[in-house]
């Protein structure tokens, strides 16, 4: 390949890059194609380097040149890559990248730093030993721009090298860290001291510039400290830096005190403060035992700033969150928890545990607990305002419904991220020190026994906060709170206070009950709770209604849920939930309410039928409105699944809406299938299972199946269940319409899927043969030779061999003429006589009978081989012993002795349709269950007595051969087997 000449090519490449920045696609597309062709051209990246380092050129062109260079590193820098760059060109590029750190545009400077780091990941230090020394020298220069750009590159290189995981790479990074750590520390201290001096002087531009350098040098130190040492606690400089962080944090916090809240300087300063805490958190995560000397100082610092007046006026939300995370990770760190038997614990663990216990005294724990509840758990003015003006936004943010609470920060209100953090810290501390803190929380509860005035908002919010704590600690308080009495005497009356100012408490009480429902609520109190839920679902406040719906879901999900207690309230609740679904407007809230409705429908099953009319009418409208909201559509699909299961055969009335929904959700050519496919397939399956009969529209949807089988995804098992559903529902129409294409798909699948997948394919074929013995073999004829060959070749997987024998057994027993033609075809393939091949097959069958574990298939094998009798064929007579052996094995499997009469009967026989009685808490049989039962009444396995069939076949063989000939045949069978056979055939 001809190399690009640097000078002549630069003009051409520059022109094409300029065209590639155009907004006109007619200009843009050809330029992109040309650049793609040049990607593998020697010299192309040298030209790009020349372009993006030329500061006189257009910024957009230089930006694009950097991006193409960066992508080239990913694709062609490795030696083994196709079209890899030559070592000579790479050497030139490496030198060019670190010649000057003087890029004036910050965005381009960052991209250059990133691409240098990418090269460093592959080449440093072996092929690029000069990189780190060059960076160290460059960060010492006095020129502000060069110093900053070199420091930026130094950070990205350190970050990238620190992320490498192979042992050899880790060793190289450890060596690097040891070599440059002293310099990195002095660099950081220098920039930090410079910043503090300039901050004192009030020169904003100067201290912002030095603060940026402080941040970058701290980022370098963070990576070196956390990932650069195997045993960092043995390095005095590392531990000195870490101990020094607390003093630096205090200095930076004091600086923030003197800056206004809405200020660029403050934002940068807060970033630096957060970065300090990240160093501590990362170090604790990676080196818990090396962190032990820092435990006491970390706890003292964090607790003083978060839980005492020390932090007033200087702390900010993200800093408080980080401090709480530090406390939490120390409290629950597994490395600091001794074994049950202290002597089994390491000295390091015991030392850390000792420091923790010395710090978390009763007064400290009490103060933390009280402060968390009475200060951090209180609803803020902003939250209360949001409750009034945007109730769905409030509940989505505070309760994190739908998991998208982040998006509410883009709305009018910003809900604090502090709340979930404080709650997690409370739970972790309460669990760790529950014996100390339980009396504290019980005392707080006791002070709130008296009714609270609706005029005293602060008292209401305090009670809300305490109830929040009691709900979070429900499992730990199990033995300490008589919840049933508290529920009846205090909580229920509070739910009945309807004043608007009391709504925070109504919401909190119903939430609290939801937390305790699976912990300790007596079954006989459930009707009182259902009554309260019915009332609250009509509450004037939307937030209270949504919270009540959540508690309802927890109630019906409870292990001790009883349908009989719930049914008297079902109509009211379902109606109110439906009204709530219509009233809410946010996608996440609708999903949540739909989920509650689905849970109720699932729990009560067929009992829901009288009440679903309006929901069924509303869902098509909601589906249409949610065209742009695929996750809401997933929730609708889930609701439909439970609706179909609850409606049973009546779900046929939903088909005008239901079938197009299934069609769209399972069509791989439609973009929404990415989100809807899994639930769509499940809905398709339950629709088939509950369908009373096939319809043209239901049959037509199967056109979606072929691409799904080609996809071979994790949904393949559901696809096979759907195919079986069609076979059970309407085998003739289905097979006549789709069997040819399906058979082709199966033949392709059998070549590439797992053993489990092959079994699933074969089970579909087996079901088709069972349901339709005449049409089934014809439709799946192309697969049967493969099955026959698998038997003859002694398939090594027992379950596959068992399925092979099940398929051939069906053909042999239920379509003898087709079996004969198949045998003829296979005889030609194996170049054997038909009789010889049949004999070999019987021999293999007898030999592999133990691979068949299912009783139905074992009986089928016996019936199938017995169906070859009577016969004057010498080969069959030669295998007579094996046939009898399998028959006796089958008799042992299926015959049970009547203790009263002492006679045997076939336990697999079914004489009439028997559907088991279903209790209220059990799911009734689906239409498919009924179809399978009806099919069993036609299946020889369940209609033919193996005992009688054996007798009749032996009798016919005896008549065909005569007494002497038959006796000679019986003498080939083991005498013990003959004895057992005679016992089974007594009475015939």
């Amino acid at each position: 390949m001809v190399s690009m000449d640097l000078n002549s090519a630069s003009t051409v490449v520059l022109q094409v890059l300029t065209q590639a920045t155009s907004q006109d696609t007619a200009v843009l597309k050809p330029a992109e194609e040309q650049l793609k062709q040049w990607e593998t051209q020697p010299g192309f990246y040298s030209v790009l380097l020349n372009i993006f380092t030329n500061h006189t050129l257009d910024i957009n062109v230089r930006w694009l040149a950097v991006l193409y260079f960066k992508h080239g590193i990913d694709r062609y820098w490795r030696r083994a890559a196709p079209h890899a760059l030559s070592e000579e060109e790479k050497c030139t590029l490496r030198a060019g990248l670190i010649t000057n750190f003087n890029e004036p545009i910050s965005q381009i400077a960052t991209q250059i730093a990133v691409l240098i780091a990418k090269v460093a990941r592959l080449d440093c230090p072996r092929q690029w030993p000069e990189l780190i020394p060059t960076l160290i020298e460059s960060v010492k220069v006095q020129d502000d721009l060069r110093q900053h750009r070199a420091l930026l590159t130094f950070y990205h290189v350190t970050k990238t090298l620190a992320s490498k995981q192979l042992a050899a790479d880790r060793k190289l990074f450890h060596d690097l860290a040891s070599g440059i750590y002293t310099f990195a520390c002095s660099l950081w201290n220098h920039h930090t001291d410079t910043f503090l001096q300039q901050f004192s002087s009030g020169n904003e531009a100067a201290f912002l510039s030095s603060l940026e350098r402080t941040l970058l040098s701290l980022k370098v130190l963070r990576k070196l400290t956390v990932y650069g040492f195997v045993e960092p606690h043995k390095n005095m400089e590392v531990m000195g830096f870490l101990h020094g962080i607390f003093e630096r944090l205090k200095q930076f916090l004091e600086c923030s005190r003197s800056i206004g809240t809405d200020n660029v300087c403050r934002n940068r300063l807060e970033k630096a403060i957060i970065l300090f805490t990240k160093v501590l958190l990362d170090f604790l995560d990676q080196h818990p035992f090396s962190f032990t000397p820092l435990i006491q100082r970390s706890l003292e610092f964090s607790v003083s700033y978060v839980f005492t007046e020390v932090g007033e006026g200087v702390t900010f939300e993200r800093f408080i969150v980080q401090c709480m995370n530090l406390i939490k990770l120390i409290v629950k760190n597994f490395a600091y928890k001794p074994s049950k038997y202290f002597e089994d614990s390491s000295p390091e663990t015991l030392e850390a545990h000792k420091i923790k216990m010395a710090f978390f005294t009763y007064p400290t724990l009490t103060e933390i607990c009280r402060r968390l509840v009475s200060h951090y758990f209180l609803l803020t003015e902003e939250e209360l305002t949001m409750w009034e003006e945007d109730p769905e936004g409030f509940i989505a943010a505070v309760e994190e419904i739908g998991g998208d609470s982040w998006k509410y920060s883009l709305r009018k209100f910003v809900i604090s991220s502090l709340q979930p953090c404080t709650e997690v810290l409370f739970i972790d501390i309460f669990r760790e020190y529950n014996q100390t803190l339980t009396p504290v929380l019980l005392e707080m509860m006791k002070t709130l026994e008296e009714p609270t005035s609706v005029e005293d908002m602060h008292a209401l919010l305090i009670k809300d906060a305490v109830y929040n704590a009691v709900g979070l600690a429900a499992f730990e308080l199990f033995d300490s709170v008589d919840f049933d009495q508290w529920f009846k005497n205090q909580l229920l009356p509070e739910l009945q206070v309807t004043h608007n100012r009391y709504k925070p408490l109504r919401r909190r009480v119903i939430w609290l009950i939801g937390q305790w429902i699976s912990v300790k609520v007596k079954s006989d109190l459930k009707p009182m709770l259902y009554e309260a839920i019915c009332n609250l679902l009509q509450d004037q406040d939307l937030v209270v209604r949504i919270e009540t719906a959540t508690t309802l879901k927890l109630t019906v999900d409870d292990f001790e849920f009883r349908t009989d207690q719930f049914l008297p309230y079902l109509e009211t609740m379902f109606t109110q939930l439906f009204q709530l679904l219509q009233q809410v407007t946010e996608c996440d809230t609708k999903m949540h309410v739909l989920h509650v409705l689905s849970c109720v429908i699932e729990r009560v099953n067929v009992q829901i039928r009288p009440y679903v009319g309006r929901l069924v009418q509303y869902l098509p409208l909601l589906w249409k409105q949610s065209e742009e909201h695929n996750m809401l559509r997933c929730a609708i699909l889930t609701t439909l699944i439970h609706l179909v299961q609850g409606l049973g055969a009546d779900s046929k009335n939903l088909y005008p809406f239901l079938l197009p929904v299934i069609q769209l959700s399972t069509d791989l050519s439609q973009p929404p299938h990415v989100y809807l496919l899994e639930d769509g397939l499940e809905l398709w399956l339950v629709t088939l299972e509950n369908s009373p009969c096939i319809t043209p529209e239901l049959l037509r949807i199967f056109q979606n199946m072929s691409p799904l089988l080609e996809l071979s995804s994790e949904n393949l098992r559901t696809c096979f269940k759907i195919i079986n559903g069609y076979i059970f529902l309407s085998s003739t129409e289905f097979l006549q319409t789709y069997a040819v294409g399906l058979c082709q798909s199966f033949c392709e699948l059998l070549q590439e899927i797992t053993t489990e997948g092959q079994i699933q394919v074969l089970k579909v074929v087996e079901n088709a043969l069972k349901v339709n013995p005449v049409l089934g073999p014809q439709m799946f004829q192309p697969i049967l030779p493969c099955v026959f060959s698998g038997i003859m070749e002694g398939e090594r997987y027992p379950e596959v061999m068992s399925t092979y024998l099940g398929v051939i057994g069906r053909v042999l027993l239920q379509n003898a003429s087709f079996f004969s033609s198949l045998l003829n075809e296979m005889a030609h393939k194996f170049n054997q006589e038909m009789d010889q091949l049949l004999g070999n097959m019987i021999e293999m069958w007898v030999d592999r009978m133990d691979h068949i574990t299912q009783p139905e298939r074992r009986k089928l094998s016996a019936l199938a081989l017995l169906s070859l009798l009577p016969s004057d064929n010498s080969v069959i007579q030669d295998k007579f012993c094996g046939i009898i052996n399998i028959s006796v094995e089958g008799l042992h499997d299926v015959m049970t002795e009547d203790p009263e009469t002492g006679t045997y009967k076939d336990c697999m026989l079914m004489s009439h349709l028997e559907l088991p009685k279903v209790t209220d808490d059990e799911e009734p049989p689906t239409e498919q269950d009924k179809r399978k039962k009806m099919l069993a009444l036609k299946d020889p396995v369940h209609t033919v007595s193996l005992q009688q069939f054996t007798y009749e076949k032996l009798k016919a063989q005896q008549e065909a051969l005569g007494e002497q000939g038959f006796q000679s045949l019986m003498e080939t069978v083991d005498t013990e087997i003959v004895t057992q056979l005679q016992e089974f055939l007594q009475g015939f």
Side-chain angles (χ1 to χ4, degrees):
M1 186 180 287
V2 181
S3 176
M4 281 189 171
D5 176 70
L6 202 58
N7 295 320
S8 61
S10 289
T11 308
V12 181
V13 174
L14 181 59
Q15 183 182 359
V16 176
L17 280 169
T18 305
Q19 292 168 349
T21 62
S22 171
Q23 300 296 314
D24 184 353
T25 53
V27 178
L28 171 68
K29 290 296 180 186
E32 287 180 337
E33 284 301 315
Q34 181 60 69
L35 288 167
K36 189 171 181 62
Q37 290 175 24
W38 283 338
E39 279 183 1
T40 55
Q41 190 90 7
F44 176 59
Y45 295 97
S46 298
V47 174
L48 290 178
L49 177 64
N50 269 9
I51 291 171
F52 70 69
T53 52
N54 185 343
H55 304 158
T56 64
L57 297 176
D58 179 71
I59 292 173
N60 293 326
V61 171
R62 293 173 57 228
W63 170 263
L64 200 58
V66 171
L67 293 185
Y68 269 92
F69 194 105
K70 193 169 73 170
H71 294 325
I73 295 170
D74 292 333
R75 292 172 187 164
Y76 310 115
W77 199 275
R78 294 178 189 274
R79 290 179 183 177
H83 310 294
L85 276 72
S86 68
E87 290 303 314
E88 183 184 5
E89 184 175 4
K90 287 198 289 186
C91 187
T92 306
L93 293 171
R94 284 193 294 260
L97 285 170
I98 57 174
T99 301
N100 288 302
F101 295 101
N102 59 351
E103 172 55 56
I105 308 300
S106 60
Q107 293 93 331
I108 295 177
T110 301
Q111 289 301 320
I112 293 172
V114 169
L115 67 85
I116 290 173
K118 282 179 176 286
V119 176
R121 184 180 185 87
L122 300 170
D123 290 359
C124 183
R126 292 189 177 91
Q127 286 81 38
W128 206 1
E130 65 274 19
L131 173 63
I132 301 298
T134 302
L135 288 171
I136 289 173
E137 288 306 311
S138 299
V139 298
K140 294 177 183 176
V141 300
Q142 295 305 305
D143 180 272
D144 279 0
L145 181 66
R146 286 189 63 203
Q147 187 188 69
H148 178 273
R149 299 315 191 224
L151 197 48
L152 178 68
T153 306
F154 193 22
Y155 161 60
H156 279 286
V157 168
T158 310
K159 177 184 175 183
T160 300
L161 295 179
S163 68
K164 299 180 79 172
Q165 297 298 318
L166 295 177
D169 294 326
R170 305 295 302 153
K171 175 70 168 62
L172 285 172
F173 188 69
H174 293 156
D175 294 342
L176 170 68
S178 298
I180 67 173
Y181 197 81
T182 301
F183 168 75
C185 273
S186 63
L187 185 71
W188 172 67
N189 276 315
H190 165 71
H191 287 306
T192 305
D193 289 337
T194 303
F195 158 70
L196 291 170
Q197 289 165 10
Q198 291 172 340
F199 186 86
S200 300
S201 67
N203 185 340
E204 184 173 318
F207 79 65
L208 275 176
S209 177
S210 60
L211 179 57
E212 180 68 20
R213 285 160 178 70
T214 301
L215 275 167
L216 285 172
S217 55
L218 182 56
K219 286 179 177 180
V220 171
L221 259 184
R222 177 189 176 194
K223 295 299 177 185
L224 294 175
T225 303
V226 175
Y227 301 104
F229 301 90
V230 178
E231 296 179 306
H233 59 283
K234 293 183 178 179
N235 187 300
M236 289 180 63
E237 279 190 292
V238 172
M239 298 312 290
F241 161 66
L242 290 167
H243 279 290
I245 281 179
F246 300 102
E247 197 54 45
R248 291 297 197 189
L249 264 171
K250 288 179 181 178
Q251 292 173 332
F252 276 61
L253 285 164
E254 284 306 313
C255 289
S256 72
R257 189 193 293 272
S258 59
I259 299 179
T261 54
D262 188 17
N263 188 296
V264 174
C265 302
R266 183 176 182 86
N267 290 340
R268 297 276 177 85
L269 201 53
E270 288 185 358
K271 275 188 178 179
I273 292 167
I274 293 303
L275 190 55
F276 281 122
T277 62
K278 284 181 178 178
V279 175
L280 293 170
L281 286 164
D282 288 355
F283 192 76
L284 171 57
D285 179 59
Q286 292 293 319
H287 307 283
F289 289 129
S290 293
F291 192 87
T292 300
L294 300 160
I295 291 176
Q296 173 109 5
R297 193 78 190 275
S298 299
L299 290 172
E300 287 173 350
F301 178 87
S302 300
V303 169
S304 66
Y305 273 94
V306 175
F307 296 110
T308 73
E309 65 281 352
V310 172
E312 290 177 10
V314 294
T315 57
F316 53 95
E317 186 178 293
R318 282 191 68 205
F319 174 70
I320 294 171
V321 168
Q322 292 292 90
C323 287
M324 286 185 174
N325 283 337
L326 192 56
I327 298 168
K328 180 185 72 175
L329 290 179
I330 292 171
V331 166
K332 64 184 296 190
N333 200 304
F334 184 74
Y336 302 158
K337 292 187 177 182
S339 301
K340 186 177 180 182
Y341 304 104
F342 265 57
E343 59 270 19
D344 295 338
S345 304
S346 68
E348 295 86 355
T349 297
L350 293 176
E351 174 65 19
H353 180 68
K354 181 181 174 184
I355 296 169
K356 272 174 55 180
M357 294 304 290
F359 178 81
F360 285 113
T361 59
Y362 176 79
T364 302
L365 286 169
T366 302
E367 183 57 31
I368 290 173
C369 180
R370 290 187 183 280
R371 183 86 171 161
L372 278 170
V373 175
S374 63
H375 179 73
Y376 289 107
F377 278 14
L378 290 184
L379 286 170
T380 65
E381 279 297 323
E382 188 168 36
E383 287 169 339
L384 291 169
T385 304
M386 188 179 187
W387 184 328
E388 292 296 332
E389 299 185 19
D390 184 11
E392 288 185 64
F394 168 82
I395 201 145
V398 173
E399 300 293 335
E400 296 188 84
I401 286 176
D404 281 343
S405 58
W406 58 266
K407 74 180 181 181
Y408 292 98
S409 63
L410 305 178
R411 296 160 67 131
K412 182 177 176 182
F413 302 98
V414 181
I415 286 292
S416 164
S417 62
L418 198 54
Q419 186 210 11
C421 181
T422 57
E423 291 180 353
V424 169
L425 178 61
F426 173 81
I427 292 167
D428 288 335
I429 289 182
F430 202 92
R431 283 177 183 165
E432 188 74 11
Y433 303 103
N434 65 79
Q435 288 186 330
T436 303
L437 292 177
T438 294
V440 177
L441 191 52
L442 292 176
E443 183 190 338
M444 294 171 82
M445 286 174 60
K446 191 168 181 61
T447 62
L448 301 173
E449 287 178 352
E450 297 302 317
T452 308
S453 169
V454 295
E455 303 303 323
D456 190 345
M457 196 63 191
H458 180 70
L460 288 172
L461 294 179
I462 287 288
K463 185 177 269 193
D464 172 86
V466 173
Y467 282 6
N468 187 12
V470 175
L472 294 172
F475 284 97
E476 281 67 36
L477 294 173
F478 177 84
D479 292 321
S480 305
V481 174
D482 185 346
F483 189 81
D484 295 330
Q485 286 301 315
W486 195 39
F487 171 76
K488 286 190 293 186
N489 299 336
Q490 186 165 341
L491 298 182
L492 271 183
E494 289 189 311
L495 288 177
Q496 292 159 8
V497 180
T498 57
H499 196 285
N500 186 53
R501 288 169 64 90
Y502 213 78
K503 66 186 179 187
L505 221 47
R506 289 200 300 278
R507 165 186 167 258
R508 180 60 68 192
V509 169
I510 198 64
W511 170 87
L512 171 64
I513 293 168
Q515 302 310 297
W516 276 83
I517 200 76
S518 60
V519 178
K520 194 178 183 182
V521 176
K522 282 183 182 174
S523 181
D524 57 7
L525 293 179
K526 294 290 178 68
M528 297 169 68
L529 173 57
Y530 296 147
E531 187 74 42
I533 288 174
C534 286
N535 292 331
L536 286 179
L537 283 172
Q538 302 173 71
D539 196 274
Q540 59 189 339
D541 184 75
L542 184 60
V543 172
V544 174
R545 294 204 297 279
I546 295 170
E547 193 68 71
T548 304
T550 306
T551 296
L552 173 57
K553 178 193 171 298
L554 294 170
T555 305
V556 298
D557 280 346
D558 182 39
F559 180 72
E560 294 183 355
F561 176 82
R562 281 172 45 190
T563 310
D564 61 316
Q565 288 183 320
F566 187 74
L567 287 178
Y569 308 92
L570 175 59
E571 182 177 5
T572 303
M573 286 187 191
F574 199 82
T575 302
Q576 290 163 350
L577 282 172
F578 173 66
Q579 289 169 354
L580 181 60
L581 177 64
Q582 288 178 300
Q583 183 181 0
V584 296
T585 56
E586 289 293 337
C587 179
D588 283 342
T589 325
K590 282 189 179 291
M591 284 169 56
H592 180 62
V593 178
L594 269 174
H595 186 51
V596 178
L597 279 163
S598 294
C599 290
V600 172
I601 295 167
E602 184 180 16
R603 268 303 202 175
V604 301
N605 206 282
V606 297
Q607 309 278 2
I608 201 65
R609 291 179 184 178
Y611 315 117
V612 295
R614 291 175 67 194
L615 177 64
V616 166
Q617 290 171 3
Y618 175 67
L619 285 178
L621 174 63
L622 185 58
W623 180 265
K624 188 174 181 181
Q625 291 172 343
S626 62
E627 194 168 352
E628 302 300 318
H629 303 282
N630 286 310
M631 298 313 292
L632 177 53
R633 286 196 157 184
C634 286
I636 296 171
L637 288 172
T638 303
T639 306
L640 285 171
I641 288 167
H642 295 308
L643 263 177
V644 169
Q645 289 170 327
L647 291 171
D650 291 344
S651 62
K652 188 168 182 278
N653 299 326
L654 301 183
Y655 284 7
F657 166 55
L658 198 60
L659 301 188
V661 165
I662 296 171
Q663 166 69 39
L664 174 72
S665 305
T666 60
D667 185 349
L668 294 188
S669 68
Q670 298 289 336
H673 87 269
V674 175
Y675 303 94
L676 308 179
L677 180 59
E678 188 174 345
D679 292 318
L681 286 171
E682 191 63 32
L683 178 59
W684 192 356
L685 177 60
V686 299
T687 300
L688 284 168
E689 288 174 341
N690 289 278
S691 178
C693 60
I694 195 73
T695 69
E697 295 78 15
L698 185 55
L699 191 62
R700 197 176 301 124
I701 297 175
F702 196 80
Q703 293 170 359
N704 285 358
M705 184 57 71
S706 182
L708 290 168
L709 294 175
E710 289 174 22
L711 190 63
S712 293
S713 69
E714 64 276 5
N715 294 310
L716 210 50
R717 185 183 291 271
T718 309
C719 290
F720 289 134
K721 288 180 180 178
I722 289 168
I723 297 167
N724 282 323
Y726 276 104
I727 288 170
F728 290 128
L729 180 59
S730 181
S731 64
T732 303
E733 285 180 83
F734 172 68
L735 291 174
Q736 286 175 342
T737 309
Y738 293 109
V740 174
L742 190 60
C743 197
Q744 184 179 342
S745 296
F746 279 0
C747 288
E748 293 168 4
L749 271 175
L750 288 169
Q751 304 301 316
E752 57 190 46
I753 57 175
T754 61
T755 302
E756 173 61 26
Q758 292 176 26
I759 291 166
Q760 294 300 321
V761 169
L762 294 168
K763 282 182 177 177
V764 171
V765 177
E766 190 177 14
N767 281 330
L769 300 177
K770 185 194 299 185
V771 175
N772 204 320
V774 177
L775 196 57
Q778 295 171 18
M779 292 301 175
F780 288 105
Q781 192 277 331
I783 291 176
L784 295 177
C786 167
V787 174
F788 199 101
S789 297
I791 294 172
M792 299 312 300
E793 291 162 8
E795 166 61 45
R796 61 195 180 98
Y797 289 108
E799 202 171 347
V800 177
M801 180 58 116
S802 168
T803 316
Y804 281 164
L805 293 171
V807 169
I808 296 300
R810 285 283 168 194
V811 178
L812 174 57
L813 179 63
Q814 294 182 261
N815 197 331
S817 62
F818 190 90
F819 178 80
S820 180
S821 63
L822 175 64
L823 190 64
N824 184 41
E825 179 186 344
M826 298 310 295
H828 282 96
K829 179 182 176 181
F830 285 102
N831 198 24
Q832 293 182 19
E833 293 293 324
M834 280 179 64
D835 287 351
Q836 181 189 359
L837 183 62
L838 177 61
N840 292 339
M841 186 199 75
I842 295 171
E843 194 170 316
M844 183 62 75
W845 204 323
V846 172
D847 183 60
R848 299 301 169 91
M849 183 66 178
D850 287 343
H851 287 185
I852 306 175
T853 55
Q854 302 91 333
E856 289 85 356
R857 276 205 196 127
R858 289 178 68 82
K859 179 177 177 180
L860 175 67
S861 290
L863 291 171
L865 290 177
L866 280 169
S867 71
L868 294 169
L869 303 178
S871 174
D872 57 1
N873 186 313
S874 60
V875 171
I876 293 176
Q877 290 185 16
D878 187 48
K879 305 300 177 186
F880 180 78
C881 171
I883 294 172
I884 296 303
N885 284 348
I886 285 183
S887 303
V888 172
E889 279 191 43
L891 287 165
H892 276 292
D893 292 329
V894 304
M895 301 302 287
T896 55
E897 186 176 4
D898 188 328
E900 293 182 7
T901 62
T903 57
Y904 289 95
K905 62 176 182 178
D906 189 331
C907 66
M908 286 194 183
L909 291 180
M910 294 182 185
S911 56
H912 60 282
L913 183 61
E914 295 174 359
L915 291 175
K917 290 184 179 178
V918 181
T919 65
D920 285 345
D921 292 323
E922 291 179 326
E923 292 185 10
T926 64
E927 295 300 304
Q928 183 161 297
D929 292 331
K930 296 173 186 176
R931 285 191 283 273
K932 285 182 177 179
K933 210 79 174 175
M934 293 298 293
L935 176 62
L937 294 178
K938 301 175 184 176
D939 185 353
V941 171
H942 296 292
T943 57
V944 175
S945 163
L946 180 58
Q947 183 186 32
Q948 186 167 347
F949 194 70
T950 306
Y951 171 78
E952 289 172 355
K953 288 296 180 180
L954 291 178
K955 182 74 173 169
Q957 188 68 46
Q958 183 182 33
E959 290 171 356
L961 292 180
E963 184 61 38
Q964 188 175 352
F966 180 70
Q967 198 57 43
S968 299
L969 206 55
M970 288 299 294
E971 286 172 1
T972 64
V973 182
D974 183 86
T975 54
E976 179 60 31
I977 298 293
V978 172
T979 303
Q980 293 172 23
L981 179 64
Q982 288 170 342
E983 285 181 13
F984 281 124
L985 299 184
Q986 279 179 359
F988 282 95

